[in-house]
Amino acid sequence: MARSDIRPRFANALTSRRGAWISLVLGLLVMVLLFGAFGSAKAPAGNAQAPTTSESAQAAELMTKFPNADRQSVIVLATRTDGSALSNANTDALKALLPVLNESAPADASGPLLSDDGEAAIILTPITTGASNSETADVVGELRATLADHSIDGLSLLVTGGPAFGADIAASFAGANFTLLLVTILIVAVLLIITYRSPVLWLIPLTVVALADGLAGRVTAAAGSAFDLQFDSGIISVLVFGAGTNYALLLISRYREELLLNTDHRAALSTAWRKTAPAIIASNVTVVLSLLTLLLAVIPGTHGLGVSSAIGLLIALAAVLLVLPPFLAVCGRRIFWPFIPRPASETAADGSGTTVKAEKAGVWRKVATAVVGKPVPSLIAGVAVLGIMMTGLFGTTIGLDQVEKFRVQSESAQGLEVLSEHFAPGEAQPIYVIADADHADAVVDAVEGVEGVVRAHAIATTDDGALSKIMVTSAFAPSSPESLAQIDELRSAVHAVDGANALVGGAVATDVDARDGNSADLWLVAPLILGVSFIVLLLLLRSFVAPVVLLVVNVASAVAAIGAGAWLSRVLFDQHALDLQVPLLAFLFLVALGIDYTIFLVHRARAETRLRGTRAGMIEAVARTGSVITSAGIVLAGVFAALGVLPLVTLGQLGLIVGVGVIVDTLLVRTVIVPALFSLIGDRMWWPSKPAGAVDSDTASADALDAELAALDTGTPRASARNEAE
């Protein structure tokens, strides 16, 4: 069988009367079997913030060697509700609370320790931490319940400290993924109903994509367990729903277009599949390969997200190209009711349907004609908008402290703020130094010589007496600039102690290493993402010029979206910094997903160029794809906006930036900037190749453009013509 015959024969097999039923049953059967095979899989619960080879990670590993390594202390912070100083009666009541706390604690609680201003007191309460933050959240929850049952009149009791922070993060996600899924489905459903204007049609792609998302969740959990990957399942769900719905929109839009030209709905669907599959596959491959570059990332969560997201998107691709077409074929033309597309030669017996004799110049054709007719001012205006958006980068910083990470205030974050008003802010997040036990005293002396250290002392020794754990209390608020700089000073000081082999760890040290790791990931992965996108565009368009131009535009759009998102975060939500992972993940999704719409548009433009020339071909491509790409962009932006329901600022910022970027790509880049560039560069955009059958010069393209402008000025309808040369 000739290679050129494979795609039509496969498309016909998917959509034929018998083949559609067989394909649909086989597709659903495979899904059911995979659901059963991976149904019990659970992804690892780890959430390491720093590279596994970093000093803080090595220190954390050594800390597991100490006795009672699963035992950590949380802080019970007491203040008067009226803001006055604690009385002797208050102090006595806190002392009476100690036996109550000791009943469920693995060791005795200590305190209360009064602040210098006498307005606050702390009780250090040991707890047994769980294997994950979720398990620790149960322990912290029980402690808070105990305090609630033994409340003290006139006092506020807050549980804070390192373990409490992790517990609050886990607790805040209880039910959050279900909420995210529900909101995502609702957004997609509403936008599909608006797009298709049908009470029935939207159910088909939504059902297929929802099945793909459910399967992706189970398969990625199994992959995470097998390869010890850490990732956020919420991001994967958003990607599957967003990309899967986009693929479905492109396929169904072309299907509807073909139904206006073909009396056989199965033949129309087969043609639509053949015409859209290359663009959909190229789009998917671009994003998947871009995601796989994250395998080189040193941050565990970023590294794990690459494989898991790639798996999810491949499942979405298979569902849309292999399950959705036979589903549509079985349902037939009437699935578009009440606006059933029919060719002009066919009249519906019941009077329903859409009979199209001629296609009037719609809004997208008008916009494209205006842009291509006056490319210079259009390009200047588009670039000016991107430039204004980029100014949002000025004043943007990277890195959130513990308090800023929560979208909704948590008890641990509130406790840290109150604690910082009365005690050394570092009390809530001690710094730990692991050193050779024989040199512990020298290490303590070195630590005490560092500016901002309140106190330092050895608190534990390993059973073999080889290692000592030294706790350091800082005068600086955790993750503040002074605190981060202090970690570097501490490391320089303790590393200078010969033979101590000292390592500095703890939450603040982890933050320092996480910042360094995320920065390294950004500068390593971002160029690889651009390289992947360039290669895919090169193979798809068979041109050197177009991929370079399109990538430059895409990068500018991505940077502009990050700038605008950062500015909106500051102005609307009072978030003065982006979280550590946001720049890399935002750049990845903006470039990879933004290329999607470019591929959808330019792939169609190349096909149209064969008959019309480059400029008129671009007008036709924008006119034909304008509605579907805009719908796809709005759906994807809405799906990413759903991340805002999650409690972490990180995901909210990511959703905001990607949402803004997708809208900009859809309405500005794809509609104005790219058509303007194609008009200015002309046939040279396809160098060194030339679309088969294309005119040798821009003459025919200019003539066609003149005709477009004349038709637009006079309101003359354009006859609908099928492009058989595609």
Side-chain angles (χ1 to χ4, degrees):
M1 182 172 59
R3 184 177 177 184
S4 59
D5 293 333
I6 295 177
R7 200 165 69 195
R9 289 171 68 93
F10 187 75
N12 291 337
L14 279 177
T15 57
S16 66
R17 188 177 302 277
R18 182 181 178 186
W21 280 107
I22 294 174
S23 300
L24 182 59
V25 170
L26 284 177
L28 294 177
L29 180 61
V30 170
M31 280 191 162
V32 169
L33 292 175
L34 291 175
F35 267 103
F38 299 107
S40 60
K42 291 185 178 180
N47 186 32
Q49 302 296 313
T52 55
T53 57
S54 64
E55 183 169 338
S56 60
Q58 295 177 46
E61 180 66 24
L62 290 177
M63 280 193 275
T64 63
K65 301 180 181 296
F66 287 83
N68 301 315
D70 60 347
R71 185 183 300 173
Q72 297 185 48
S73 292
V74 294
I75 297 172
V76 178
L77 174 66
T79 55
R80 286 187 61 90
T81 55
D82 60 8
S84 60
L86 296 175
S87 65
N88 291 334
N90 294 147
T91 305
D92 292 339
L94 290 173
K95 290 179 180 178
L97 192 60
L98 294 178
V100 176
L101 298 176
N102 292 339
E103 289 179 3
S104 57
D108 289 345
S110 60
L113 175 65
L114 248 61
S115 61
D116 291 340
D117 60 12
E119 295 179 359
I122 59 174
I123 297 175
L124 296 180
T125 305
I127 64 170
T128 301
T129 57
S132 66
N133 282 337
S134 296
E135 294 180 11
T136 303
D138 294 335
V139 178
V140 173
E142 292 174 2
L143 173 60
R144 286 171 174 161
T146 299
L147 292 173
D149 292 338
H150 297 80
S151 59
I152 302 173
D153 291 339
L155 291 187
S156 168
L157 301 177
L158 300 174
V159 177
T160 187
F165 279 112
D168 283 346
I169 291 175
S172 65
F173 271 91
N177 283 337
F178 176 76
T179 302
L180 174 64
L181 179 62
L182 192 63
V183 171
T184 301
I185 291 175
L186 181 62
I187 290 173
V188 172
V190 170
L191 292 174
L192 287 179
I193 291 173
I194 295 173
T195 299
Y196 294 134
R197 296 175 296 166
S198 168
V200 181
L201 177 58
W202 65 275
L203 285 168
I204 296 177
L206 182 60
T207 299
V208 172
V209 174
L211 287 173
D213 176 63
L215 180 57
R218 288 159 175 78
V219 176
T220 54
S225 179
F227 302 108
D228 193 26
L229 302 175
Q230 300 176 21
F231 53 85
D232 191 304
S233 59
I235 293 180
I236 298 173
S237 187
V238 163
L239 281 174
V240 171
F241 262 98
T245 305
N246 278 193
Y247 302 154
L249 281 168
L250 187 66
L251 174 64
I252 294 175
S253 174
R254 189 57 185 260
Y255 177 35
R256 186 184 185 282
E257 184 180 325
E258 296 296 331
L259 286 173
L260 294 171
L261 304 166
N262 203 315
T263 57
D264 183 350
H265 75 88
R266 297 180 188 278
L269 182 56
S270 176
T271 301
W273 192 95
R274 287 189 288 110
K275 298 292 179 67
T276 56
I280 291 174
I281 292 172
S283 167
N284 181 269
V285 167
T286 302
V287 182
V288 166
L289 292 179
S290 297
L291 285 165
L292 290 179
T293 62
L294 296 182
L295 285 173
L296 299 176
V298 296
I299 299 298
T302 306
H303 174 89
L305 187 63
V307 174
S308 54
S309 298
I311 292 173
L313 287 178
L314 288 174
I315 292 174
L317 175 70
V320 171
L321 288 185
L322 302 179
V323 179
L324 179 60
F327 205 158
L328 293 170
V330 167
C331 294
R333 188 188 300 265
R334 290 183 179 274
I335 199 68
F336 287 90
W337 183 86
F339 302 100
I340 303 175
R342 299 181 186 278
S345 59
E346 181 179 296
T347 303
D350 59 0
S352 66
T354 303
T355 302
V356 179
K357 293 182 180 179
E359 176 195 357
K360 293 185 178 180
V363 62
W364 298 113
R365 188 177 301 281
K366 292 179 181 179
V367 170
T369 303
V371 169
V372 173
K374 297 181 178 179
V376 174
S378 299
L379 182 60
I380 291 174
V383 171
V385 172
L386 294 184
I388 292 171
M389 294 172 62
M390 288 180 188
T391 60
L393 292 172
F394 293 110
T396 298
T397 56
I398 307 298
L400 300 173
D401 61 30
Q402 290 283 8
V403 175
E404 295 170 332
K405 288 181 181 291
F406 289 91
R407 183 174 58 85
V408 179
Q409 184 76 304
S410 67
E411 181 174 330
S412 57
Q414 181 184 357
L416 176 60
E417 290 183 331
V418 177
L419 184 73
S420 300
E421 295 172 1
H422 305 285
F423 291 91
E427 294 282 2
Q429 293 282 28
I431 301 166
Y432 293 101
V433 180
I434 310 300
D436 185 273
D438 294 337
H439 298 79
D441 292 340
V443 170
V444 169
D445 291 340
V447 167
E448 289 178 336
V450 174
E451 183 182 357
V453 171
V454 176
R455 59 181 176 273
H457 59 284
I459 59 172
T461 305
T462 54
D463 291 334
D464 60 5
L467 298 174
S468 286
K469 179 163 64 174
I470 299 165
M471 186 172 75
V472 182
T473 302
S474 172
F476 306 127
S479 296
S480 63
E482 297 82 3
S483 173
L484 299 174
Q486 186 183 52
I487 294 296
D488 292 332
E489 295 173 10
L490 284 171
R491 285 175 170 170
S492 297
V494 301
H495 292 170
V497 179
D498 291 335
N501 299 316
L503 298 173
V504 177
V508 181
T510 298
D511 193 3
V512 170
D513 293 335
R515 290 168 187 258
D516 292 341
N518 277 284
S519 177
D521 284 348
L522 177 62
W523 293 110
L524 171 65
V525 174
L528 294 177
I529 295 170
L530 297 178
V532 166
S533 300
F534 177 79
I535 291 172
V536 172
L537 288 172
L538 187 70
L539 296 176
L540 181 70
L541 302 178
R542 284 164 286 171
S543 162
F544 284 107
V545 177
V548 172
V549 172
L550 296 174
L551 269 184
V552 169
V553 172
N554 203 237
V555 170
S557 175
V559 174
I562 294 173
W567 181 80
L568 289 172
S569 293
R570 291 196 299 271
V571 173
L572 298 180
F573 307 111
D574 196 30
Q575 298 165 2
H576 297 284
L578 297 178
D579 198 29
L580 297 177
Q581 288 183 294
V582 167
L584 173 58
L585 295 182
F587 184 83
L588 165 66
F589 294 142
L590 288 169
V591 171
L593 296 174
I595 285 290
D596 277 9
Y597 302 121
T598 300
I599 288 174
F600 295 161
L601 172 65
V602 178
H603 181 262
R604 183 65 182 259
R606 182 180 176 84
E608 297 291 348
T609 297
R610 296 170 184 171
L611 289 182
R612 298 173 174 84
T614 298
R615 293 184 174 89
M618 177 56 70
I619 293 176
E620 188 68 18
V622 173
R624 292 290 186 177
T625 63
S627 178
V628 63
I629 291 180
T630 300
S631 299
I634 293 173
V635 168
L636 189 61
V639 168
F640 266 93
L643 286 172
V645 305
L646 296 177
L648 285 184
V649 168
T650 305
L651 298 179
Q653 289 180 340
L654 183 62
L656 174 64
I657 291 173
V658 176
V660 169
V662 168
I663 294 297
V664 169
D665 271 330
T666 303
L667 299 180
L668 181 66
V669 174
R670 185 264 310 165
T671 306
V672 177
I673 296 178
V674 170
L677 286 169
F678 269 72
S679 179
L680 287 171
I681 299 174
D683 288 344
R684 294 183 296 276
M685 186 69 82
W686 308 112
W687 184 87
S689 70
K690 186 172 293 185
V695 194
D696 290 335
S697 70
D698 287 338
T699 303
S701 183
D703 292 342
L705 179 57
D706 290 340
E708 291 280 357
L709 291 169
L712 189 61
D713 291 338
T714 62
T716 304
R718 297 181 69 261
S720 181
R722 185 169 187 165
N723 185 2
E724 297 289 352
E726 282 183 286

